[in-house]
C-alpha cells in the first residue's frame, strides 16, 4: 500500500535539505525533530518566516489529490521567485521621478571649448572640399567603377581619379544650371560649354551607368543577419562621416530629420507628409547653428540596429552625439519625436545639456495644469515642475495652444516678452514667454537652415541607380560644409567679405573639371562663333580659379586673330591667349606676362 503524505509532510519534504527527511521518517516525534534540524541547518532560522508556508498550505488544502498539491507547491515557489527577479529588474530599468513645483538652481553651463587658430593663408575652395572627399576617395571610386564595368558588361571603362573629379564637377554644375534632361547640355541648340567642353556626352553616360562605390562580391544576402541596405554607398558615407568628425564642433547643436528627394523603387524609401519633399530617404542629422552638419545617418527602416534601450528616437540622438567631447558643456536641441525624460538624463550624465519639446504621454508622472485651465488665464500662461534629484525641468506654456518643453539647464526664468498676432484685436501683442521657449526657438533651426541651403543648388540628375540620390546628397553636403568652414575661418580673421555659396560652388566645380586636367579636343570644322576668330562685343574675360591657374598643366600659348587686353599688365595688348585659361597675356621680347601669370 502506498504511503500517504499530509500537507506538513509535503512541505517538510520539499523545503528541508537532503539527508534530513530520512531522520524524520524513522522517528515518532517528527515535529520536534523538524525544529531541531532546522536550527542546526540554519542558525538564523526564524519561525515567523513560515508565514509564506502557511499561505501555501491554505492554497493546497483547496486542491485535490496529493500529487496535485505537490505540483502546486513547487509551481508557486518557482513563480514567486521568478516574479521577484522580474520586479527587481523592472525597478532598475523603470526609474521613478519625483516632481516638485519649486525653483531649481541649475549648474553653470558656460561653454568651455573654442575654435583653434585658422590658417594664415585661407585655402582655396577646392582644398576645403577635399577635406571631406579627398584624392584617396576619388581613386577608390575609380577602382570600383572599373571593376564593376568589367564584371557586368566586360567593358573596359578605364576611368581614373582625375576623371571621377571631372564627373563630380559636372554634377555640381548641373545643380547650379538645372535642365530636365541632362543631354540638353550637349545639344547643338543649347550647348553648355562648361560641361560639354569637359567631357563628351557618351563618356558622361558611361560614368553615370558604371560608377560604383563598393565591391559587390562582398555584399551579404538579404536574409543574412549582417545585411546592410546601404552597402552600395557605405564607404562613401563612412569617409564623409569620418571627415565630419574631425571638424571642431560649435556650442549648440540641433538634431532633426532631413529628406533626400526620391520617388523611385527602394525598400528604405519613406513618406513624411510635413516635409516639402514627401517621398525620399530619411536622414537623421546633427547640425550646428551655422547649418554645418557634424554627423548624420540614413534611416533604413524598423530593422535598423542601434545600441541603447531608449527606443529608436532616443538611440538615434545618442548615436549622433557620440562624437561630442565630454566636459565641454555642449547644448543639444530636438523636437518631441526624439525627446524623453530618460534621454535628457542620460545626456546630462555626459555633461551634454539639452532642450526640447516633449509629448504629453512621455512626462513620467509629471502632472501639470490642463489645456483648459491654461487657456482660462489667456496666452502666455504656464505651469512647470522640476525633478530635483536629476535636475530636469518640464514647462507647459500656452500660446495658440499648449506645448510641453523639457530642459536640463534652464526653466521659466528669466522670462521675457514676444510678439504674437492677435486675431481678435487685429494686431501684434506682447505675450509672456518663459526662457526655455526662447532658447528652443533661437537654437533649434540648424538642420532646417542646412536644408534650405542644400535646396538652393541641389544636384538632380536622373539615374536608374537608387543610391545615386544619396551620392548627390553627400556631394552637396561636402560643398556646403566646405563653404561654412571657409566662412568660419574668414570670421576668425576678421574678414567680413566672402564668396557667396553660388560662386564658391562654381569655383569647386571649375577646379574639379580643369585643375590638373586637359580639355577634350573639339572635332569637326571650327565654329563661326569661335571666340578666337570672330569679332564680338568687348567683354572682360573672367579669371580662372586659383587651382586651375597654378596647376602647371596644359597651359599653352596660341595666336588669335584679334588682339585683346593682357590680364596681367594694366596697359598691354596682345594676340597671345592661354589655351586653358582663355585670357590674353603678353609674350614678347619685353614682357613675359604668360609665365608671370601662371607662377604663384
Amino acid at each position: 500500500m502506498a504511503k500517504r503524505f499530509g500537507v506538513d509532510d509535503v512541505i517538510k519534504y520539499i523545503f528541508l535539505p537532503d539527508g534530513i527527511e530520512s531522520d524524520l521518517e524513522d522517528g515518532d516525534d517528527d515535529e520536534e525533530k523538524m525544529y531541531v534540524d532546522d536550527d542546526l541547518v540554519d542558525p538564523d532560522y526564524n519561525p515567523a518566516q513560515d508565514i509564506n508556508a502557511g499561505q501555501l498550505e491554505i492554497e493546497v488544502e483547496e486542491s485535490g489529490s496529493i500529487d496535485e498539491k505537490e505540483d502546486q507547491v513547487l509551481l508557486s515557489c518557482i513563480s514567486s521567485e521568478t516574479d521577484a527577479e522580474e520586479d527587481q529588474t523592472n525597478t532598475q530599468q523603470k526609474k521613478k521621478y519625483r516632481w516638485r513645483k519649486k525653483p531649481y538652481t541649475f549648474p553653470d553651463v558656460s561653454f568651455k571649448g573654442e575654435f583653434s587658430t585658422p590658417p594664415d593663408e585661407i585655402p582655396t575652395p577646392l582644398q576645403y572640399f577635399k577635406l571631406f572627399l579627398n584624392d584617396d576617395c576619388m581613386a577608390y571610386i575609380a577602382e570600383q567603377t572599373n571593376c564593376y564595368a568589367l564584371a557586368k558588361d566586360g567593358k573596359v571603362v578605364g576611368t581614373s581619379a582625375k576623371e571621377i573629379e571631372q564627373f563630380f564637377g559636372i554634377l555640381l554644375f548641373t545643380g547650379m544650371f538645372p535642365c530636365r534632361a541632362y543631354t540638353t547640355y550637349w545639344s547643338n541648340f543649347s550647348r553648355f560649354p562648361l560641361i560639354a567642353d569637359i567631357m563628351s556626352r557618351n563618356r558622361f553616360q558611361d560614368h553615370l551607368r558604371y560608377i560604383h562605390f563598393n565591391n559587390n562580391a562582398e555584399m551579404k544576402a538579404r536574409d543574412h543577419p549582417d545585411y546592410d541596405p546601404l552597402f552600395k554607398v557605405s564607404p562613401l558615407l563612412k569617409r564623409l562621416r569620418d571627415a565630419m568628425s574631425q571638424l571642431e564642433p560649435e556650442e549648440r547643436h540641433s538634431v532633426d530629420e532631413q529628406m533626400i528627394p526620391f520617388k523611385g523603387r527602394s525598400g528604405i524609401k519613406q513618406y513624411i507628409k510635413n516635409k516639402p519633399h514627401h517621398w525620399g530617404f530619411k536622414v537623421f542629422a546633427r547640425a550646428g547653428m551655422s547649418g554645418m552638419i557634424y554627423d548624420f545617418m540614413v534611416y533604413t527602416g524598423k530593422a535598423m540596429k542601434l545600441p541603447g534601450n531608449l527606443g529608436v528616437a532616443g538611440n538615434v540622438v545618442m548615436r549622433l552625439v557620440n562624437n561630442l567631447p565630454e566636459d565641454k558643456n555642449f547644448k543639444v536641441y530636438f523636437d518631441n519625436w526624439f525627446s524623453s525624460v530618460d534621454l535628457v538624463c542620460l545626456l546630462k550624465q555626459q555633461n551634454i545639456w539639452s532642450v526640447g519639446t516633449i509629448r504629453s504621454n512621455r512626462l513620467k508622472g509629471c502632472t501639470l495644469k490642463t489645456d483648459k485651465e491654461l487657456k482660462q488665464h489667456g496666452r502666455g500662461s504656464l505651469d512647470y515642475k522640476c525633478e530635483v534629484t536629476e535636475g530636469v525641468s518640464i514647462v507647459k506654456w500656452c500660446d495658440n495652444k499648449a506645448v510641453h518643453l523639457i530642459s536640463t539647464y534652464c526653466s521659466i526664468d528669466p522670462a521675457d516678452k514676444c510678439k504674437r498676432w492677435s486675431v481678435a484685436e487685429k494686431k501684434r501683442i506682447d505675450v509672456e514667454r518663459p526662457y526655455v521657449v526662447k532658447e528652443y526657438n533661437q537654437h533649434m533651426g540648424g538642420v532646417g537652415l542646412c536644408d534650405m541651403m542644400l535646396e538652393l543648388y541641389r544636384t538632380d540628375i536622373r539615374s536608374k541607380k537608387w543610391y545615386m540620390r544619396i551620392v548627390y546628397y553627400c556631394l552637396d553636403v561636402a560643398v556646403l560644409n566646405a563653404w561654412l568652414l571657409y566662412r568660419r575661418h574668414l570670421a576668425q580673421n576678421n574678414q567680413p567679405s566672402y564668396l557667396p555659396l553660388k560662386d564658391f560652388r562654381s569655383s569647386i566645380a571649375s577646379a574639379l573639371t580643369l585643375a590638373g586636367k586637359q580639355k577634350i579636343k573639339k572635332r569637326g570644322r571650327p565654329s563661326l562663333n569661335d571666340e578666337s576668330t570672330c569679332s564680338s562685343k568687348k567683354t572682360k574675360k573672367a579669371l580662372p580659379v586659383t587651382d586651375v591657374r597654378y596647376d602647371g598643366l596644359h597651359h599653352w600659348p596660341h595666336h588669335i586673330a584679334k588682339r585683346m587686353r593682357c590680364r596681367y599688365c594694366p596697359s598691354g595688348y596682345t594676340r597671345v591667349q592661354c589655351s586653358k585659361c582663355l585670357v590674353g597675356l603678353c609674350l614678347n621680347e619685353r614682357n613675359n606676362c604668360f609665365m608671370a601669370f601662371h607662377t604663384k
Side-chain angles (χ1 to χ4, degrees), residues 328-394:
K328 297 292 185 180
N329 289 339
F330 289 99
K331 284 86 175 175
V332 180
Y333 306 84
F334 33 77
D335 60 22
N336 58 16
W337 192 84
F338 300 93
S339 58
S340 65
V341 179
D342 295 334
L343 172 62
V344 298
C345 292
L346 189 58
L347 289 173
K348 186 179 177 181
Q349 294 176 7
Q350 301 179 12
N351 283 343
I352 299 176
W353 312 94
S354 57
V355 173
T357 56
I358 186 171
R359 297 179 181 179
S360 57
N361 59 349
R362 300 182 183 178
L363 300 183
K364 295 289 185 179
C366 179
T367 57
L368 300 170
K369 292 181 180 180
T370 63
D371 296 357
K372 184 177 180 180
E373 291 174 339
L374 291 178
K375 287 183 179 180
Q376 290 177 352
H377 295 84
R379 298 177 69 174
S381 58
L382 60 86
D383 192 15
Y384 76 98
K385 283 186 179 179
C386 295
E387 213 291 334
V388 292
T389 57
E390 295 291 340
V392 178
S393 173
I394 293 181

Side-chain angles (χ1 to χ4, degrees), residues 4-7 10 14 56-57 59-76:
R4 298 179 62 84
F5 291 91
V7 176
V10 173
I14 294 173
L56 295 175
E57 181 179 354
E59 296 174 359
V60 171
E61 288 178 354
E62 298 176 358
S63 304
S65 63
I66 297 298
D67 295 335
E68 293 177 353
K69 294 175 185 177
E70 292 181 4
D71 293 338
Q72 290 186 13
V73 172
L74 289 172
L75 292 174
S76 300

Side-chain angles (χ1 to χ4, degrees), residues 588-600:
N588 49 48
E589 296 179 355
R590 293 176 298 174
N591 298 322
N592 191 352
C593 298
F594 189 91
M595 179 177 290
F597 179 81
H598 294 102
T599 303
K600 191 172 182 180

Side-chain angles (χ1 to χ4, degrees), residues 430-473:
D430 290 332
V431 176
E432 189 82 11
R433 178 178 62 177
Y435 183 66
V436 64
V437 177
K438 179 181 178 181
E439 281 286 293
Y440 181 82
N441 289 341
Q442 283 186 349
H443 307 122
M444 178 55 194
V447 178
L449 178 61
C450 174
D451 262 339
M452 183 273 293
M453 291 187 288
L454 287 176
E455 194 64 30
L456 293 175
Y457 311 107
R458 188 184 293 275
T459 303
D460 187 15
I461 293 291
R462 296 192 64 179
S463 173
K464 292 184 179 180
K465 296 181 174 65
W466 62 268
Y467 55 84
M468 286 304 296
R469 297 290 176 175
I470 301 178
V471 175
Y472 300 157
Y473 171 80

Side-chain angles (χ1 to χ4, degrees), residues 143-155 209-212 214 216 232 465 467:
E143 178 185 355
Q144 295 300 324
T145 300
N146 291 329
C147 293
Y148 176 72
L150 191 62
K152 182 182 180 183
D153 296 332
K155 184 174 181 178
R209 182 181 300 114
Y210 294 115
I211 190 166
H212 230 62
N214 210 346
N216 285 350
K232 295 282 189 178
K465 296 181 174 65
Y467 55 84

